[in-house]
Structures are given as structure tokens and as C-alpha cells.
Amino acid sequence: MSRYLDDFSLVDFTINALRVVIIVLVFWGAFNTLTLPADAGRITGEQWFDLFVAGLTQGSIYALIALGYTLVYGILLMINFAHGEIFMAGAFTTVFLATWMDKIGFLNGYPFVAIPLLIIFSGFISMIIAVLLERIAYRPLRGAPRLVPLITAIGASFFLQYTFRGLYGSGFKSYPTVDILKGSVAISGFSIPIARIFVFVSALVLMGGLYWLVERTKIGKAMRAVSEDKEVARLMGIDINFVIMFTFALGGLLAGAAGVINGLYRPQGVNFFMGFRPGIKAFTAAVLGGIGSVPGAMLGGLFLGVIEAIGPNLVMTGLGIPGPNQLQDVIAFTMLVLVLIFRPQGIIGERLTEKKA
Amino acid sequence: MSLLEVNDVHTYYGNIHALKGISFTVDEGEIVTLIGANGAGKTTTLRTVSGLMKPRNGTVFYADENIHDYEAHKMVSKGIAMVPEGRGVFGKMSVKENLELGAYYRNDAAGIRQDMEYMFSLFPRLGERHSQVAGTMSGGEQQMLVMARAMMSRPKLLLLDEPSMGLAPVLVDSVFDTVKRVSQEGMTILLVEQNAHMALQIADRGYVLQSGEIVLSDSAKNLQNDPIVQKTYLGVD
Ligand SMILES: Nc1ncnc2c1ncn2[C@@H]1O[C@H](COP(=O)(O)OP(=O)(O)OP(=O)(O)O)[C@@H](O)[C@H]1O
Ligand SMILES: [Mg+2]
């Protein structure tokens, strides 16, 4: 009896109880949703498909941003909490260029030139901000206790928000609409909005490019070497300061590109604070996929997007909770907390080693 | 003129005075060994030469150039390669990628390919396992890999930090054979070893390091016969 009491841990018990409660709720909700009578608001197959595609679209934007978190973490074991602001920097700046391109008729006249130009421009802006951030705010703190750069990152995040507010004002802007992104295409009976295909395909191209770079090129090899062992990397002749700068640049480039892709998909809501939510969602995605892992960030982003889109409808409708789509963020952040409690190495990620933890 | 000339070098870890003014030289084509007990400062010496640490005082001349404030990553292109203590393979990368990283600063793709083939002929095991993830190889195989990786930069001076550590006796022999062979091909070697017995057998000269100071220097032969060395480092009564 006393042995049993010794082994009993209130924390473990609570965690396990929580686990059971969550699983029961999820299954109960899903079961109820799927067995709703057709006249009581059952969600049709077509609606599910729509939700799924919307989720993939949103998820591929998360994935692009999540890569920035994961690349930096992989190399510096540091969470760059100002990464959402790097996304904002590109997206916010480029809205002016896009508006101007629209006004002179270039955007709709030559969309196949204009859109890539916008993406490159935004990527470039975000890249510069990311590199400056590393150089000015993070590099001097390298080797400091891990809490120090974390706090600096939060400070940098506010700094960037208010700098851009000072530059461009606090009002909301929106991206112009592009005609070729309007409408839908029908693929074997399902209709998919073109804008979503655009987002998904652009993200796929960028992620493919990044994967190739990390896995196949010399600089990619250097990045992986630095992330495994900085000292040995230096002995190989790798300039780790350059590699770290390059890593920030890459993360910035992807975030900036995501800014335009997002803006052309959902034009509203461009302002100095726009990086906060996607930033924190993408961080969640990176953690879901196992922070530090490149494929993890990609899959984590897509996964989060899909879960966010489908989850509330699937579970909460069945539990009788109204307006499930307004609870997307609740789902996302609940997932973050749950993953951090139950699987800190991420859903598909490797276990954090002693060194990294 | 010596290839490497270390003059009165003092190196610190914070306030810990690890090297207290050491001086030694390594001539072209030589095998020089540094022996000493745990904590004597052998690793610190190699780290100072390779640029991983900066000496607070003193100079390090390599090929008549004062290199003591060069960044570590510059040293490779100067011709200095180091096999660190505890090997340091890139465990998540393949054998081939590890070797390619050894040749990181080089841009002659054909030469790199040729050298890689040569390493595979020196260490057939690496050739057989070229796509294996390095972290899953045995200790002996990893040791071969890091030696081969260091040679991929075509160094003039090779710094080896306890290459025989943790290996079975058979493998220890093969490591020392390799060192000898590499040396015969014209590479200059600075070898740190706990296994003083083996090190003095293949070395031309040796230095004995004790608490951050060089207390003895002589030809390897004389050191082998020195009563203090015999007692302290060779375990002869
Ligand atoms: N990172 C460090 N921080 C503080 N002191 C250190 C550090 N590394 C080594 N030292 C100290 O410096 C001195 C020399 O260490 P070094 O590693 O050079 O010894 P060594 O001769 O290589 O020993 P071993 O045979 O155990 O490898 C030791 O007293 C050691 O405690
Ligand atoms: Mg040592």
C-alpha cells in the first residue's frame, strides 16, 4: 500500500486523466457530428473537401513561416520570436508596391511577371530585416544564457512593430485583387478556388527549393554541419557567422514571400500588427513538426492548417458548440499546449537530445 | 625553419590559466607528439594552434606567418587540419557528406572526387559504407572517417587529438599505421596521445606537458628511455 502511494504522482495522474478526457471528447464530438441527420446541419462531403482545401492553403502559408523558426532553431537553438514581424515587414512594405503596380495596370496586365516580382521584392525586404536583426540584436548575445536572446527577440518584435507603424502608419491597408486569381476550377467534380491553388503551388515551389538547397548544395551542407557541431564545422573551414547570417536570410526570404502570397489570397488586414497571429501559429506548426526539422515545419504547417479548418467543425459541431469556425485559434493553441505537454519533440520530429533540450 | 613555431603561448579558459607559456616547434615532415596526463593542456594546445582558441600572450607562427589571431575557419585553407578529441563526426550526415565537408574550402570538384576515391582505397570500409549515416558507424569506423575527412582538405599540418582513444587494441594499431602512412606521404603531424607508448614509437620527437608547461623535450627515442617518462607515462617500474 505504501509502495503504491510512493509511486503515485499527482502530476502524472492529472496528465493521464487529461489525455483520456480529451480523447473521449474528440471522439464523442466527431461521432456526433458525423451522425447528425442530414436535415440537422450535417456537413456534406463537398463541404468537408472545401474545408480541407482551405486548410491546406492556410497551412502552406504557416509552413513557409514555420521554416524560418525551425531553420534558426536548428542552428542556434534559439526561438526567434520576432519572426512574425519579419513576415510583416515584407508584406506591409510590398502592399505599396502592389498598389502602385495595380494603379498603372501592370499587375493585371502582366500578372505572371508582376506576382513573382512582388514575391521577390517582399522576400528581399524581409531578408534584409532578418539579417539586420541577427547582426544587431542577436549576434552580440551569442553565448549568453538562453533566456537573454529570447527576451531580446520579444523586444525586437515590439521594436519592429512600432518602427513599421511609424513608417507606414497604423491604418489597415489591403492588397489589390488580381483578376487571374479570381474564380475556381473544377477538378473531377470538386471546385477549387484558383487563389488557393496559387497559394499552394507557390508554397510548394518555395519549399521544394529550400529542401533542395538544404539537402543538395554546399551551403546547405554547411548549414547542417553548423547545426550539428559548430566547433567541428569551424574546423572544416566553415565560417559559422556567414552560415548563421545565411540562415536568417533564408528564413526571412520565405517569410517575406509568404507575406505576398498571403496578401494576394486574403487581401485584407495589412498593418503593423499583422505578423503576430501568423507568427505564433507558424511557431505552433514548427513545434508540431518538431522544431529544428525542415520537413517537420513543412508538414507541421500543413497539418495545423488542416486541423484548424476541419477540427472545430468535426468536434465542436457534434458537441453542440455554436460557430465552430470562430474557435480556430482555440484549436491551434490547445494543440500547441498539448504537444508541448505530451510530445515536446513534435508529432513527427525526433526527440530533443539532452544538448538541445 | 620550422613549419609550426609556438612561442611562449598563454591560453586561458576564463580565469583558468591552462597553458602557461609553452614553446615548441614542428618541422616539415616530422611526427611530433605531445604527451601528458589528463588536464595537462594537450587539447588546449591543439585548439590554440587550430584557432579555436586565442592565446592571450605569445605567438603562433605557421609557415612563417603569424596566425594566432586568425579565425579557425581560415586555418584550413592555410593547410592546417585537426581531428578533434572525441572524433566529432557529423552523425546525421552520410560518410560521403562528411568527407565532402572536409574539402569544404576547396573548389576543384575533380580533385575532390579523386581524393575521395583515394580515401576509399586507404579505408575500404568507408567506401563500402559511403552512404551510411556516420552516427551509426562503429567507433573504429568513425575514427577512420575523421582521419580521412581531415585529409580531404589536403593539409600540410595535421593535428590529431587522441586518435586511439576508446579503440580496441587491434584498431589502435591500425590507427597508428595510418598515421605513419600519412606521414610518409609528406604530411607533418602533431599528435596528442594518452597512449605514450605507441605515440613515441612512431614519433620523431616528443614534448612532455605537465600542468600547462612543457617539462621535457627530446627525440622520441630518448624519451622512451627517460626514467621519468618511463615511470610516469609508460608504466614501467
Ligand atoms: N572548457 C573549459 N573550461 C574551463 N577549463 C577548462 C576547459 N577545458 C579545459 N579546461 C582546463 O584546462 C586544463 C587543460 O585541459 P585540456 O583539455 O587541454 O587537457 P588535456 O591534456 O587535453 O587532458 P585530457 O588528456 O584529459 O584530454 C585542465 O585543467 C582543464 O580542467
Ligand atoms: Mg584532451
Side-chain angles (χ1 to χ4, degrees), chain B residues 110-165:
Chain B
I112 293 172
R113 220 172 307 123
Q114 209 175 337
D115 284 4
M116 186 141 5
E117 286 309 318
Y118 178 59
M119 291 309 150
F120 290 159
S121 71
L122 270 184
F123 307 100
R125 202 47 181 273
L126 298 182
E128 289 159 26
R129 301 289 178 90
H130 68 272
S131 57
Q132 184 172 335
V133 174
T136 63
M137 305 231 292
S138 76
E141 290 165 344
Q142 292 190 10
Q143 189 59 50
M144 289 175 204
L145 176 57
V146 289
M147 301 262 272
R149 186 180 65 187
M151 287 191 275
M152 287 298 292
S153 67
R154 291 199 179 164
K156 288 212 251 332
L157 174 64
L158 184 59
L159 312 173
L160 297 172
D161 197 345
E162 306 207 24
S164 75
M165 189 168 61

Side-chain angles (χ1 to χ4, degrees), chain A residues 118-137:
Chain A
L118 289 174
I119 292 177
I120 292 167
F121 178 77
S122 181
F124 183 71
I125 297 286
S126 292
M127 180 165 100
I128 288 175
I129 300 291
V131 168
L132 287 177
L133 181 68
E134 190 275 325
R135 187 67 195 81
I136 295 167

Side-chain angles (χ1 to χ4, degrees), chain A residues 215 218-219 221-222 224-225 228-229 231-239 350 356, chain B residues 47 51-52 71-73 76 88 90-93 97 100-102 104 106-107 149:
Chain A
E215 290 297 321
K218 193 165 169 174
I219 183 74
K221 231 175 285 163
R224 284 182 288 141
E228 272 202 55
D229 191 328
E231 195 148 274
V232 180
R234 289 168 73 194
L235 292 174
M236 301 296 107
I238 296 169
D239 179 351
E350 59 189 294
K356 289 196 170 181
Chain B
R47 288 167 57 84
L52 288 175
E71 288 290 332
H73 66 88
V76 191
F90 294 111
K92 292 183 199 159
M93 292 193 228
E97 284 178 321
E100 285 164 352
L101 281 164
Y104 182 77
R106 294 169 57 183
N107 285 314
R149 186 180 65 187

Side-chain angles (χ1 to χ4, degrees), chain B residues 23-124:
Chain B
S23 304
F24 65 93
T25 59
V26 182
D27 289 341
E28 199 145 356
E30 270 190 315
I31 301 182
V32 170
T33 183
L34 284 177
I35 56 181
N38 290 114
K42 306 181 297 292
T43 298
T44 311
T45 305
L46 294 194
R47 288 167 57 84
T48 307
V49 173
S50 66
L52 288 175
M53 296 184 73
K54 303 287 158 224
R56 200 175 287 179
N57 289 303
T59 54
V60 180
F61 277 89
Y62 167 81
D64 293 337
E65 194 178 352
N66 193 347
I67 59 166
H68 71 258
D69 51 27
Y70 285 9
E71 288 290 332
H73 66 88
K74 290 255 173 66
M75 300 294 190
V76 191
S77 55
K78 297 272 169 203
I80 301 180
M82 172 161 151
V83 173
E85 191 170 25
R87 309 197 178 102
V89 296
F90 294 111
K92 292 183 199 159
M93 292 193 228
S94 71
V95 167
K96 191 157 168 267
E97 284 178 321
N98 267 274
L99 292 175
E100 285 164 352
L101 281 164
Y104 182 77
Y105 88 93
R106 294 169 57 183
N107 285 314
D108 55 328
I112 293 172
R113 220 172 307 123
Q114 209 175 337
D115 284 4
M116 186 141 5
E117 286 309 318
Y118 178 59
M119 291 309 150
F120 290 159
S121 71
L122 270 184
F123 307 100

